[in-house]
Amino acid sequence: MAKILEYKCPCCDGKIEFDSGLQQMKCPFCETTFDVSTLQDYDDILNQQTPQEEMQWDTDAGSEWGQDEAASMGVFACTSCGGELVTNATTAATSCPFCGNPVVLTGRLSGDLKPDYVIPFKLDKEAAKAALKAHISSKKLVPKLFRSDNHLDEIKGVYVPFWLFDADADANIEYRATRTRVWSDSKYNYTETSHFALLRAGTIGFDRVPVDGSSKMADELMESIEPFDFSQAVDFQTAYLSGYLADRYDVTAEDSVERANERVKRSTEEAFARTATGYATVTTKSSNIALSNGKAKYALYPVWLLQTSWEGQSYLFAMNGQTGKMVGDLPMDKGAYWRWWALWTAILGAAAFGVLFLLRAMELI
């Protein structure tokens, strides 16, 4: 059975939650603050064990909290007001819809993997609202009415589960490259193209390549708000969840390995391609990348999710709760787009005419 864990102020018995600005727990009633470490005793109810199972990828991320099974969707009573909370199977932290008291559903984590790390929220709800406004204002092709009339339907801070993969990549990549030389004399224009075979080989180590472990979060959306600064990560404690939503992973580390492999291989190819400079064209002929020493850790990363509506359509935005990077889909003003396209067509056309005129002038010299 899931248990509700609430953080009460020892001074006034009010609810306390994590303050992203102070990076401490704070009571909004008596304004007493507490270091997160002082609330470590709350986590003593969770029995920690280290998994020992061997795998091709060492995905023994996290440690076991106990023997209770993770609860499925159910109804829980708030210990502050008695109201009932209805949650789904992966909700690990939420708030009471009646009294607003932040709660952590420890039973949803009990018997499952406890995160190794958490990056606490650095930016609060007001910062997320301001970032959304700035994001919309910076887009020149967004309809003017959307800027003023869109309605913010929902904003929530969510700790999203991520698997962090370490791996070494041994690569052998062959490229085909060309260099072009152009010159003229009184009669002819000449073009000389030289062809080269480029070989690149080496090893690259990758640390903490993130893959989100929630099926409810689009992988592309989560990757778009990267990077997260792992230097600010701390050892996980449930106190950091208070006042925010938190999801338990529903995509395992084993099921995330394929995507981790893809990200590591793609990053390896991009890194090697950056060494092939000084050529007019570079194309990959063959790529052989072998991965080794793979292992994973389990972490929670802070994300603000904002949903707006306009003219019957919903628009979802995600903001990195640590760095403030904002992404999301926006409507496009088609009239402004075509005006922009016509302007750049005219500019490029004028530039092409100028180059052509210069070449003709050179032939007359």
Side-chain angles (χ1 to χ4, degrees), residues 7 10 16 25 33-42 237 239:
Y7 291 93
I16 59 176
M25 304 295 289
T33 60
F34 308 88
D35 290 332
V36 173
S37 59
T38 64
L39 301 176
Q40 182 65 45
D41 289 344
Y42 281 100
Q237 292 186 42

Side-chain angles (χ1 to χ4, degrees), residues 127-284:
K129 291 180 181 178
L132 177 61
K133 183 177 180 180
H135 178 72
I136 294 174
S137 299
S138 67
K139 306 302 179 182
K140 303 302 182 184
L141 299 181
V142 171
K144 292 182 179 179
L145 289 178
F146 180 83
R147 302 174 193 269
S148 58
D149 296 347
N150 79 88
H151 181 264
L152 182 60
D153 299 321
E154 184 179 25
I155 177 172
K156 55 187 178 182
V158 181
Y159 278 108
V160 177
F162 276 84
W163 301 109
L164 309 181
F165 289 90
D166 296 346
D168 293 327
D170 297 305
N172 289 275
I173 303 178
E174 182 179 357
Y175 302 96
R176 287 289 182 259
T178 64
R179 283 182 182 150
T180 302
R181 186 166 69 96
V182 179
W183 73 95
S184 303
D185 58 22
S186 59
K187 294 184 178 180
Y188 302 102
N189 298 324
Y190 301 92
T191 299
E192 178 187 79
T193 301
S194 301
H195 296 264
F196 302 87
L198 307 180
L199 300 177
R200 297 290 188 269
T203 300
I204 301 179
F206 291 87
D207 295 327
R208 297 180 294 273
V209 176
V211 177
D212 81 82
S214 172
S215 62
K216 296 188 292 294
M217 301 294 177
D219 292 333
E220 294 77 9
L221 190 65
M222 293 298 99
E223 289 181 10
S224 297
I225 60 174
E226 293 178 14
F228 290 86
D229 182 2
F230 190 81
S231 68
Q232 298 179 353
V234 296
D235 291 338
F236 177 79
Q237 292 186 42
T238 55
Y240 289 107
L241 305 185
S242 185
Y244 298 94
L245 300 175
D247 272 350
R248 185 185 66 180
Y249 70 87
D250 59 359
V251 180
T252 66
E254 292 83 358
D255 291 337
S256 301
V257 164
E258 182 177 355
R259 188 165 185 85
N261 288 343
E262 292 176 355
R263 298 202 69 185
V264 169
K265 289 181 178 179
R266 183 170 67 248
S267 296
T268 300
E269 290 175 341
E270 291 172 352
F272 275 60
R274 287 194 293 270
T275 69
T277 59
Y279 300 93
T281 64
V282 177
T283 57
T284 302

Side-chain angles (χ1 to χ4, degrees), residues 143 145-146 149-151 153 308-315 331:
L145 289 178
F146 180 83
D149 296 347
N150 79 88
H151 181 264
D153 299 321
T308 67
S309 60
W310 183 64
E311 294 188 346
Q313 297 291 325
S314 294
Y315 300 90

